[in-house]
Amino acid sequence: MDFKTIVKPFILGNFLFTDDAAAVADDSSLIRGGIVDSTGILELIEFLEATCGIRVAAEEMVPANFDSIDTISAFLQRKTAA
Amino acid sequence: MTPLGHHVLDLDLEAEADRIAASLRAATARELHRRGLVVAISGGIDSSCCAALAVRALGPDRVFALILPERDSSADSAARARLLAEHLGIRSETKDIAPALAAIGCYEQRDAAVRRALPGYGDDWRFKITIDGGTEGRINVFQLVAEAPDGSRHACTLGLADYLQIVAATNFKQRLRKALEYFHADRLNYAVVGTPNRLEYDQGFFVKNGDGSADVKPIAHLYKTQVYAMARHLGLPERLCAAVPTTDTYSLSQGQDEFYFALGYRDMDLALWALEHGRDAADLGQALGMDARRAEAIYADIENKRRTTRYLHAPPVLMGEPGLACTA
């Protein structure tokens, strides 16, 4: 499954109030780019847990897993493949 | 390069006290055009130091202190605050803000969120929130720690909505206190003193339009270690100088490092100083007896808190100029 189809609309709609896919590149840092702060990451994790049927463990809650649409999607691929 | 250690925070305290007092005097008279200063004193070291500096600047007759306890304040805090007012010879007024907080739903909203997170939580329980993750390089999450009347402890990770509601409700406390400070400032034609130290100010450990709001902030450039040293230099009673910093916000005793800072204040001060002076994480790790990786996580946590709390420092964003937007 291509998780970007879930992640990207959430990032765009929830944090940028837009559906313009060009508003953020898939490999852009959401944290350094000022799009998502730490509260936003918790929102994102709650959304992913509710939508993708996963449970994010404490040790997985590292910026590297949640810093871009690409890394979030790759993290979801690994989680659902496991 | 000077070896990194707590000595980097040493200060010429007499010269600094004189400089702050002169600045406070000039700001109050020439910039704010007020006749004195209002300080809410909590019994903690920061507000005590600010009150003492205000007295040094303007004399005891032009400083008015407020002691504003509520249901969850420690009785010892108010006692220390009264001791300070007496020591400085300043007028003070004590106002229990619990009834007003109850009337606007502070405790009710807070307890509803706590009960959602921890069914079984009752009115006779005590609780606090602790922070976890940032110093290990993870994303900070919040834990609810509650104590039942029988002494048993219960803990759970707080969901975001419950965490936000608890914080929103408890923020009423700082905002109501500020409303009272400005009432008295308006009544007396005084200015309001804000009491954050450098660590709190830099890391956004304050409530917007609550304790973050003030006309002057005399110690926002001083590290907490320096505030303690200044308090001793100013001759404040030992009972105040020895007080352990707490948030005094939750019913269960809570250190500031449990809720917000990665380390105790002495080491946190050094970490902030080292970061601001471009010192390698390895240097910090060596000074604090930790490995470089953990020191890097502390640097990252400091930067993250700066980013996350930029909004607290920001003035309102005005729409009048094209291209102007909040970049936080």
Side-chain angles (χ1 to χ4, degrees), chain A residues 34-53:
Chain A
I35 295 170
V36 179
D37 64 9
S38 52
T39 304
I41 291 182
L42 297 179
E43 273 179 70
L44 175 65
I45 290 171
E46 286 195 354
F47 167 76
L48 296 175
E49 287 186 337
T51 308
C52 303

Side-chain angles (χ1 to χ4, degrees), chain B residues 25-91:
Chain B
R25 203 160 40 243
T28 307
R30 294 172 184 277
E31 290 181 48
L32 301 166
H33 301 287
R34 294 294 180 271
R35 308 288 173 266
L37 295 165
V38 171
V39 193
I41 53 173
S42 65
I45 200 70
D46 298 312
S47 59
S48 298
C49 195
C50 284
L53 289 166
V55 168
R56 189 173 177 119
L58 302 180
D61 293 345
R62 291 185 180 275
V63 178
F64 182 74
L66 281 166
I67 303 167
L68 303 170
E70 50 89 28
R71 199 180 285 175
D72 298 321
S73 305
S74 136
D76 194 45
S77 299
R80 285 198 308 267
R82 280 192 289 274
L83 172 68
L84 175 74
E86 198 174 309
H87 173 82
L88 294 174
I90 56 180
R91 289 162 294 151

Side-chain angles (χ1 to χ4, degrees), chain B residues 183-207:
Chain B
F183 163 74
H184 287 282
D186 290 348
R187 177 177 72 80
L188 296 164
N189 200 22
Y190 281 13
V192 168
V193 174
T195 65
N197 58 60
R198 186 187 197 119
L199 197 53
E200 293 170 340
Y201 188 73
D202 181 280
Q203 293 285 277
F205 187 54
F206 56 82
V207 175

Side-chain angles (χ1 to χ4, degrees), chain A residues 7 11 24-31 44 63-75:
Chain A
V7 174
I11 300 286
V24 58
D26 292 357
D27 61 352
S28 291
S29 169
L30 301 171
I31 297 170
L44 175 65
N65 283 338
F66 296 96
D67 194 38
S68 70
I69 291 165
D70 281 341
T71 61
I72 297 164
S73 302
F75 169 70

Side-chain angles (χ1 to χ4, degrees), chain A residues 31 34 37-39 41-43 45-46 58-59 61-63 66, chain B residues 137-142 158-161 164 304 307-308 327-328:
Chain A
I31 297 170
D37 64 9
S38 52
T39 304
I41 291 182
L42 297 179
E43 273 179 70
I45 290 171
E46 286 195 354
E59 60 273 17
M61 293 178 71
V62 292
F66 296 96
Chain B
R138 291 187 277 116
I139 293 156
N140 281 312
V141 292
F142 304 96
L158 274 172
L160 188 59
L164 290 175
N304 184 49
R307 267 195 307 272
T308 304
T327 55

